[in-house]
Amino acid sequence: MAGRPGYLTLPIFSVLAAIGYVYYTAVFLAVPRWLGLATAAGVANAAAFTALAAACLATYAVAVRRDPGRVPPGFVPDVEDAVSTVHEIKRKGGDLRYCQKCSHYKPPRAHHCRVCKRCVLKMDHHCIWINNCVGHENYKIFLVFVLYAVVASFYAMILIIGSVLHSVPKDEQSSNDSSRTSIIICGVILSPLALALAVLLGWHIYLILQNKTTIEYHEGVRAMWLAEKGGDLYHHPYDLGVYENLISVLGPNIFCWLCPVSNTVGNGLRYRTSYDIPLSTQPI
């Protein structure tokens, strides 16, 4: 049961421990050594980093607990619905996509997760670090968590580098040697972590701008190859243009884009496609 969504696992404890370790090092070791907690600059930096750490914890907790989206029991796609211009079919046979394990039809962009043992709406991937799938209902929250984690990581690196380069008076050197060692160890661990998170954030920004999931990206590579082989051009059907793509994931209210709330457009059973847009306004 420890691997089921909603349960605490070793990777989750590892993430929480990493957040706590970086926070302690940055606020209680790096800031006092470099700026001093008694100064206005020290207090301001400690408060700013505390707010970032709190945002990371809040968004992470929501990403862990939020259901990524379930297919309603008895769901059947309406092939005669004029509003739904695209119905996804199987590669072989051309039938509507049907999950044999869950015994129901799959809505567009839904996929079966072998770990969660169920179909997930607009599934992007299963993330072991949140012990949950990233899908329609929690994709935005997952993205915001990664964004806050990247900002916090680079902020911590600045504080760590500043504290290491800061020259300590000779009469205080002996008492600061241990803290300097701890700060350096944290910096060594944090450097590859910050880089990995930045790459992950960049990857998902790239996907959002094209309104793709990770699964759809890999499927699109094959579809593009097949299209070019047949002399055709491939266009991702859910690409609505940069602004509409952002809204479909982050929500219509730009002031809530960085909030840990799921305000994505739609119910995950039907998505707008480029075929719904007049030819004069279709994205290039």
Side-chain angles (χ1 to χ4, degrees):
M1 294 180 65
R4 292 174 53 189
Y7 287 82
L8 295 179
T9 59
L10 181 59
I12 291 179
F13 280 116
S14 300
V15 172
L16 295 176
I19 293 175
Y21 175 61
V22 172
Y23 175 76
Y24 171 79
T25 303
V27 174
F28 295 100
L29 296 180
V31 171
R33 179 185 174 89
W34 183 20
L35 303 169
L37 283 176
T39 64
V43 172
N45 279 275
F49 194 82
T50 298
L52 264 178
C56 285
L57 283 174
T59 50
Y60 182 71
V62 177
V64 170
R65 297 297 304 172
R66 179 65 57 85
D67 192 292
R70 294 176 178 268
V71 179
F75 169 80
V76 178
D78 187 358
V79 295
E80 298 182 356
D81 187 1
V83 179
S84 298
T85 55
V86 171
H87 294 281
E88 296 181 355
I89 59 176
K90 295 180 180 179
R91 293 176 183 172
K92 296 181 180 179
D95 298 327
L96 292 173
R97 297 166 64 236
Y98 186 85
C99 182
Q100 299 292 342
K101 296 179 180 179
C102 297
S103 299
H104 59 59
Y105 286 97
K106 294 181 182 178
R109 316 182 80 176
H111 294 274
H112 185 87
C113 176
R114 291 176 295 177
V115 180
C116 298
K117 295 181 173 56
R118 65 182 177 89
C119 288
V120 176
L121 298 177
K122 195 186 175 184
M123 179 178 173
D124 185 89
H125 69 286
H126 183 89
C127 180
I128 64 170
W129 300 106
I130 64 173
N131 190 33
N132 199 1
C133 270
V134 178
H136 175 75
E137 294 293 340
N138 66 348
Y139 181 77
K140 178 221 171 178
I141 297 168
F142 171 80
L143 179 74
V144 173
F145 162 68
V146 175
L147 173 62
Y148 283 138
V150 168
V151 175
S153 297
F154 282 98
Y155 193 176
M157 286 299 300
I158 293 174
L159 294 176
I160 287 172
I161 293 173
S163 64
V164 171
L165 297 179
H166 176 67
S167 58
V168 182
K170 292 183 178 180
D171 57 341
E172 298 180 11
Q173 266 186 351
S174 58
S175 62
N176 280 273
D177 283 343
S178 59
S179 65
R180 188 174 187 273
T181 302
S182 299
I183 291 171
I184 292 175
I185 292 175
C186 182
V188 171
I189 297 174
L190 190 58
S191 298
L193 178 61
L195 179 61
L197 287 171
V199 171
L200 179 64
L201 178 63
W203 167 248
H204 281 285
I205 290 176
Y206 166 78
L207 292 177
I208 287 177
L209 294 179
Q210 299 193 44
N211 205 355
K212 292 181 181 179
T213 64
T214 301
I215 295 175
E216 289 170 349
Y217 170 82
H218 293 293
E219 290 179 342
V221 171
R222 184 177 184 275
M224 185 180 298
W225 176 77
L226 291 174
E228 292 178 352
K229 187 178 180 181
D232 299 323
L233 291 176
Y234 171 77
H235 175 74
H236 183 56
Y238 301 105
D239 186 2
L240 308 176
V242 173
Y243 180 68
E244 292 293 334
N245 292 344
L246 289 171
I247 286 178
S248 67
V249 174
L250 302 177
N253 189 348
I254 191 173
F255 298 105
C256 294
W257 280 7
L258 298 183
C259 299
V261 294
S262 180
N263 55 351
T264 51
V265 177
N267 57 6
L269 301 177
R270 177 187 298 169
Y271 292 92
R272 288 181 62 201
T273 67
S274 56
Y275 303 104
D276 303 325
I277 304 175
L279 291 176
S280 60
T281 59
Q282 282 193 13
I284 299 176

